[in-house]
Amino acid sequence: MVKDYAYINGVPEIVVPDNLKAGVKNPCRYEPDLNPTYQDLAEHYGVAVIPARSRKPKDKAKAEVGVQVTERWILARLRNRTFFSLADLNQAIRELLGPLNERPMKHLERSRRELFELLDQPALRPLPEQPYVFATWKKARVNIDYHVEFEKHYYSAPYTLIHEEIDIRATQSTVEILFKNERVASHPRVNSPGRHSTLAEHMPTAHQKYLEWTPERLVRWAQSIGPHTAQLIQALLDSRKHPQQAYRSCLGLLRLAKRHGEDRLEAACRRALPAGIISYKGVKNILDAKLDQVEADQVESEEPSTVVPDSHENVRGQSYYH
C-alpha cells in the first residue's frame, strides 16, 4: 500500500481489501479484527479499512476486473519470458503498465488514466510527510526488573508499569513500548540476545518504596539457604551495570530450591563459585547432572587416569623429549 499511494500521489478515504491474513486477523461481517500492523498503517495514512465480506467478490468488483485485465494484458505477455531478478520483472511490468493505462476503453471512449485524473485524483487526500515504516507488534508484560523482552533482548520501561501489559512496536531501527495506546518508551533496536537496553529515567529513585524486590532482599533470601548461595547471588548482582538487570536470573536461581531442595542448591553454589560459574543456567546444569551430590575429589578420581604402557621398542621414552 505504501508504494501504491506513492504511485498515485495521494491517499483514498476508504480501502476495501480481501480478508487476507496479513490484513484481517479475525474476519467478521460486522466487526472484523484487523491485523495490528495493518491497522497501524491505516492510522498513519488516515484511511478507513472496510474489508469485503467473505466469499463476496462483488463487494470489490472493480478490483476483481482490474486483476483480470492485468492478467490478460501484462502477465500473459510476459509468460514466456525468463527473469533473473525482481528488479527486471518490475521493469518489464512498468513498461507494459503505461500503455495499458493510456489505452482507450471502447465502452467509455476514455483511457484509465484520463478517468483517474478526472474522477479519482481530485478526491485523494495528500500524502503524509513521511511514508509508513513497516513495524511488527507484540504484547508483553513488564517484569519486576522493569524490562520487557523482544527477540531475546531486554528493553526498559518506566518502573511504574511493573506487571502491566504493554504493546511493543518494532521497526527495523526502533523498538517502542506503548501503554494504553500511548508511547511510554523508545529504544534503538539491538540485536544482542541476553543483553539489556536501560534508560536511566526508567529506574526508580527509591527501590524499597516502589519495588517489591531489592538486591538486599535477594541476598537475605539467599542467606537463608546458605552462605555459598548468598555469595553467588551477590556476585550475580555485581556482574551487571544495573543490579536490576540481574533480578530475573537471581529469582530463577533461588527458585531452584523449590524443585531440588535448599541443601542441594547450596551444594551446587559451593561447586559453582570456584569454577567461575555465575549464572542461573550454570547452577541448573550442576543440579540436573547431580554434580552437587558428588565430592570434588571423587570427580577427579573418576576422570580417566593416564596409564603408562609397558616398555616397548616402538614407544618413545620420557628422555626422548629432553
Side-chain angles (χ1 to χ4, degrees), residues 155-206:
Y155 300 89
S156 66
Y159 69 92
T160 53
L161 297 180
I162 288 175
H163 302 312
E164 295 286 355
E165 187 179 65
I166 52 87
D167 291 305
I168 298 176
R169 180 181 183 271
T171 65
Q172 189 174 2
S173 59
T174 307
V175 172
E176 297 175 300
I177 299 174
L178 297 93
F179 179 63
K180 295 183 178 179
N181 296 324
E182 292 187 5
R183 189 174 70 175
V184 294
S186 179
H187 298 268
R189 187 166 179 173
V190 180
N191 185 22
S192 298
R195 301 281 183 170
H196 291 71
S197 294
T198 306
L199 297 180
E201 57 266 28
H202 293 163
M203 301 177 64
T205 56

Side-chain angles (χ1 to χ4, degrees), residues 78-99:
L78 299 176
R79 66 185 182 277
N80 295 323
R81 292 180 57 181
T82 301
F83 299 92
F84 297 96
S85 70
L86 185 60
D88 292 342
L89 175 59
N90 287 334
Q91 180 60 34
I93 293 175
R94 193 176 296 110
E95 292 172 357
L96 296 176
L97 180 61

Side-chain angles (χ1 to χ4, degrees), residues 1-36:
M1 288 176 64
V2 175
K3 293 184 178 180
D4 291 341
Y5 295 158
Y7 180 77
I8 63 177
N9 194 30
V11 180
E13 184 176 350
I14 299 174
V15 173
V16 183
D18 281 321
N19 283 275
L20 70 168
K21 278 293 182 182
V24 183
K25 186 165 60 175
N26 294 314
C28 175
R29 180 172 183 175
Y30 304 104
E31 293 183 350
D33 188 11
L34 298 183
N35 184 295

Side-chain angles (χ1 to χ4, degrees), residues 292-305:
D292 57 292
Q293 299 176 348
V294 182
E295 295 297 333
D297 54 354
Q298 185 178 349
V299 174
E300 293 177 0
S301 64
E302 292 176 356
E303 294 179 353
S305 58

Side-chain angles (χ1 to χ4, degrees), residues 9-151:
N9 194 30
V11 180
E13 184 176 350
I14 299 174
V15 173
V16 183
D18 281 321
N19 283 275
L20 70 168
K21 278 293 182 182
V24 183
K25 186 165 60 175
N26 294 314
C28 175
R29 180 172 183 175
Y30 304 104
E31 293 183 350
D33 188 11
L34 298 183
N35 184 295
T37 301
Y38 200 64
Q39 181 66 44
D40 188 36
L41 181 147
E43 292 176 358
H44 179 83
Y45 287 103
V47 175
V49 179
I50 305 177
R53 294 171 295 173
S54 299
R55 301 179 182 179
K56 298 292 183 181
K58 291 184 179 180
D59 285 2
K60 47 181 177 47
K62 290 292 184 182
E64 296 291 342
V65 172
V67 171
Q68 185 183 64
V69 171
T70 302
E71 289 178 344
R72 290 177 177 177
W73 289 90
I74 296 181
L75 298 183
R77 296 173 66 180
L78 299 176
R79 66 185 182 277
N80 295 323
R81 292 180 57 181
T82 301
F83 299 92
F84 297 96
S85 70
L86 185 60
D88 292 342
L89 175 59
N90 287 334
Q91 180 60 34
I93 293 175
R94 193 176 296 110
E95 292 172 357
L96 296 176
L97 180 61
L100 174 62
N101 288 332
E102 299 290 348
R103 177 176 174 274
M105 293 180 287
K106 293 182 180 180
H107 61 293
L108 295 176
E109 298 182 350
R110 290 187 179 182
S111 68
R112 289 177 174 80
R113 182 174 297 278
E114 289 176 331
L115 291 174
F116 170 77
E117 294 175 349
L118 178 65
L119 302 175
D120 298 322
Q121 197 170 48
L124 295 177
R125 291 178 288 114
L127 291 168
E129 294 183 2
Q130 298 294 332
Y132 174 75
V133 178
F134 177 79
T136 57
W137 290 75
K138 175 186 175 182
K139 288 189 177 294
R141 193 171 295 275
V142 182
N143 209 299
I144 62 169
D145 59 359
Y146 51 87
H147 284 73
V148 294
E149 181 269 334
F150 180 77
E151 293 188 349

